Amino acid sequence: MKIEQIINTLEARHPGENEYLQAVREVLVTIQDVYNEHPEFEKSQIIERLVEPDRIFTFKVSWTDDRGNVQVNLGYRIQFNNAIGPYKGGLRFHPSVNPSILKFLGFEQIFKNSLTTLPMGGAKGGSDFNPKGKSDAEVMRFCQAFMLELWRYIGPETDVPAGDIGVGGREIAYLYGMYRKLARENTGVLTGKNMEFGGSLVRPEATGFGGLYFVNQMLETAGQSIKGKTIAISGFGNVAWGAALKATELGAKVVTISGPDGYIYDEKGISGEKIDYMLELRATCNDIVSPYAQEFGAVFVAGRRPWEVKVDIALPCATQNELNGDDARKLIENGVMCVGEISNMGCTPEAIDLFIENKIMYGPGKAVNAGGVATSGLEMTQNAMHLSWSAAEVDAKLQQIMHDIHEQCVRHGRQTDGYINYMKGANVAGFLKVAKAMLAQGIV
Ligand code: GLU
């Protein structure tokens, strides 16, 4: 495979789309051996066809704020690849949203969704709209205006959006309400819905829970136990909350959470009501974690990230590239044994290289955080059957899926020295399924 040539072509076509190029490069480097073993892939130009999205919808979203001022945002939906199932992936509402970020997320989603063992293709979408500090009425008007544009491109068997950063139950509900009105259909067109209208139990916790099931499995495979281990978590949103809940349940001690203002170090452990307090912090809309320190008598470290704390396990749960080479060096110096990305592309390439060189267990986001979209897949199944499963049933299926993802990573990632390169394993396993489907379906 001519990786540099492919990257150069992409760079020329899409200048400055750094996150997208970063995600593509990581996958190409890790799959090149298996790709070269299959000349039929090259013949069908599988990579050239895989790295470009099938289509991108860009639209203007005009809405009126509470003071009567007209606001204009941009909306996007990137349908990346649907070789193995309908397009599937979240919507991100955040001021940083641009085509590069959504293309990296959509590209990752192809492999992640393939790993879940469920029939889902890859997509992503969103807007540069910032829901922080907006009233419910403003969020509703924005979501309605956004869906007025989006609804023609999606459908329960075509493209099924869900949440991501800035899009939670409230936003999904407003988006769904508008879709239902426009399409005059009650279908599983969005996942992450409330329980009253087709949502799935365990979906809100699923990304964090799945992440911990995966990390637990990594440790067990290495002959270790999660019990009694200390964990640094970043972020304090829905994903961090689910991760803290399950980590505590499994007997580990979570000592950090973080926000844009800095991080909290709570040596007594973030458990019980302290975990629920994260939801209260969210609800205030100020996007800061510092109030936790006053509330529970913990340390607040302003303007820094939690990776300088000595812990056994580090779990990035916030956003892309939130753990860099310096952070990785610090964690390694402090004896970290396992890093599980619960955010998408949470670690920079330099950090990943350092973990792998130092034989630290490192789980990439597309495997570790796949529990979220997997449970979305289970929501789609329940909607298609017009019934809903109990929490125990959904959780059992989630655990089985995370177990199967782990198995695939081990199968394709175990090196001759016994070290498991989970990044390689996840990329190869995710890629092979999609590539074989594309090959079988011809040039379309
Ligand atoms: N945004 C989540 C992800 O990155 C969930 C997507 C979904 O449920 O469709 O996988």
Side-chain angles (χ1 to χ4, degrees), residues 9 60 78 89 97 106 117 177 209 251 273 434 438:
T9 308
K60 180 189 69 188
I78 302 192
V97 162
T117 69
F209 277 25
E273 53 157 356
V434 177
M438 288 172 71

mmCIF file of all heavy atoms in Angstrom, residues 9 60 78 89 97 106 117 177 209 251 273 434 438:
data_model
loop_
_atom_site.group_PDB
_atom_site.id
_atom_site.type_symbol
_atom_site.label_atom_id
_atom_site.label_comp_id
_atom_site.label_asym_id
_atom_site.label_seq_id
_atom_site.Cartn_x
_atom_site.Cartn_y
_atom_site.Cartn_z
ATOM 1 N N THR A 9 -2.483 12.654 -1.453
ATOM 2 C CA THR A 9 -3.659 12.973 -2.275
ATOM 3 C C THR A 9 -4.756 13.576 -1.397
ATOM 4 O O THR A 9 -5.383 14.580 -1.752
ATOM 5 C CB THR A 9 -4.199 11.691 -2.968
ATOM 6 O OG1 THR A 9 -3.119 11.074 -3.635
ATOM 7 C CG2 THR A 9 -5.309 11.998 -3.936
ATOM 8 N N LYS A 60 -27.339 25.303 6.262
ATOM 9 C CA LYS A 60 -27.414 26.459 7.157
ATOM 10 C C LYS A 60 -28.575 26.249 8.119
ATOM 11 O O LYS A 60 -29.633 25.766 7.710
ATOM 12 C CB LYS A 60 -27.655 27.703 6.293
ATOM 13 C CG LYS A 60 -27.770 28.993 7.045
ATOM 14 C CD LYS A 60 -28.215 30.089 6.084
ATOM 15 C CE LYS A 60 -29.647 29.857 5.636
ATOM 16 N NZ LYS A 60 -30.081 30.748 4.575
ATOM 17 N N ILE A 78 -22.348 13.598 7.598
ATOM 18 C CA ILE A 78 -21.359 12.934 6.746
ATOM 19 C C ILE A 78 -21.681 11.452 6.711
ATOM 20 O O ILE A 78 -21.576 10.763 7.716
ATOM 21 C CB ILE A 78 -19.931 13.190 7.278
ATOM 22 C CG1 ILE A 78 -19.706 14.699 7.322
ATOM 23 C CG2 ILE A 78 -18.898 12.450 6.424
ATOM 24 C CD1 ILE A 78 -18.299 15.151 7.534
ATOM 25 N N GLY A 89 -24.201 6.848 13.442
ATOM 26 C CA GLY A 89 -23.200 7.609 14.195
ATOM 27 C C GLY A 89 -23.840 8.852 14.767
ATOM 28 O O GLY A 89 -24.926 9.265 14.349
ATOM 29 N N VAL A 97 -16.823 22.155 16.021
ATOM 30 C CA VAL A 97 -17.226 21.256 14.930
ATOM 31 C C VAL A 97 -16.919 21.871 13.552
ATOM 32 O O VAL A 97 -17.255 23.024 13.276
ATOM 33 C CB VAL A 97 -18.735 20.899 15.047
ATOM 34 C CG1 VAL A 97 -19.294 20.361 13.738
ATOM 35 C CG2 VAL A 97 -18.930 19.869 16.163
ATOM 36 N N GLY A 106 -16.434 10.261 11.627
ATOM 37 C CA GLY A 106 -17.186 9.386 10.717
ATOM 38 C C GLY A 106 -16.326 8.230 10.237
ATOM 39 O O GLY A 106 -16.793 7.087 10.122
ATOM 40 N N THR A 117 -20.054 -6.109 15.830
ATOM 41 C CA THR A 117 -20.694 -7.328 15.295
ATOM 42 C C THR A 117 -22.115 -7.058 14.797
ATOM 43 O O THR A 117 -22.786 -7.959 14.310
ATOM 44 C CB THR A 117 -20.761 -8.502 16.332
ATOM 45 O OG1 THR A 117 -21.684 -8.153 17.385
ATOM 46 C CG2 THR A 117 -19.400 -8.814 16.942
ATOM 47 N N GLY A 177 -38.883 14.789 17.963
ATOM 48 C CA GLY A 177 -40.217 15.398 17.872
ATOM 49 C C GLY A 177 -40.422 16.037 16.505
ATOM 50 O O GLY A 177 -41.488 15.899 15.883
ATOM 51 N N PHE A 209 -20.020 2.138 30.592
ATOM 52 C CA PHE A 209 -20.085 0.738 31.051
ATOM 53 C C PHE A 209 -19.269 -0.158 30.109
ATOM 54 O O PHE A 209 -18.453 -0.956 30.547
ATOM 55 C CB PHE A 209 -21.536 0.233 31.074
ATOM 56 C CG PHE A 209 -22.311 0.592 32.308
ATOM 57 C CD1 PHE A 209 -21.967 1.704 33.079
ATOM 58 C CD2 PHE A 209 -23.387 -0.168 32.718
ATOM 59 C CE1 PHE A 209 -22.690 2.047 34.218
ATOM 60 C CE2 PHE A 209 -24.115 0.159 33.861
ATOM 61 C CZ PHE A 209 -23.774 1.260 34.605
ATOM 62 N N GLY A 251 -15.000 -2.305 41.754
ATOM 63 C CA GLY A 251 -14.044 -2.327 42.867
ATOM 64 C C GLY A 251 -12.817 -1.448 42.677
ATOM 65 O O GLY A 251 -11.853 -1.541 43.447
ATOM 66 N N GLU A 273 -22.755 9.341 45.863
ATOM 67 C CA GLU A 273 -23.406 10.624 45.544
ATOM 68 C C GLU A 273 -22.459 11.561 44.783
ATOM 69 O O GLU A 273 -22.904 12.455 44.068
ATOM 70 C CB GLU A 273 -23.903 11.311 46.831
ATOM 71 C CG GLU A 273 -22.816 11.452 47.879
ATOM 72 C CD GLU A 273 -23.046 12.572 48.898
ATOM 73 O OE1 GLU A 273 -24.020 13.323 48.786
ATOM 74 O OE2 GLU A 273 -22.203 12.688 49.798
ATOM 75 N N VAL A 434 -15.478 -4.772 6.617
ATOM 76 C CA VAL A 434 -15.988 -3.762 5.676
ATOM 77 C C VAL A 434 -15.394 -3.989 4.287
ATOM 78 O O VAL A 434 -16.092 -3.917 3.269
ATOM 79 C CB VAL A 434 -15.662 -2.341 6.197
ATOM 80 C CG1 VAL A 434 -16.104 -1.277 5.202
ATOM 81 C CG2 VAL A 434 -16.336 -2.105 7.546
ATOM 82 N N MET A 438 -17.367 -4.650 0.818
ATOM 83 C CA MET A 438 -17.221 -3.775 -0.349
ATOM 84 C C MET A 438 -16.822 -4.580 -1.580
ATOM 85 O O MET A 438 -17.336 -4.365 -2.687
ATOM 86 C CB MET A 438 -16.186 -2.676 -0.068
ATOM 87 C CG MET A 438 -16.667 -1.622 0.906
ATOM 88 S SD MET A 438 -15.351 -0.483 1.387
ATOM 89 C CE MET A 438 -15.120 0.467 -0.118
#
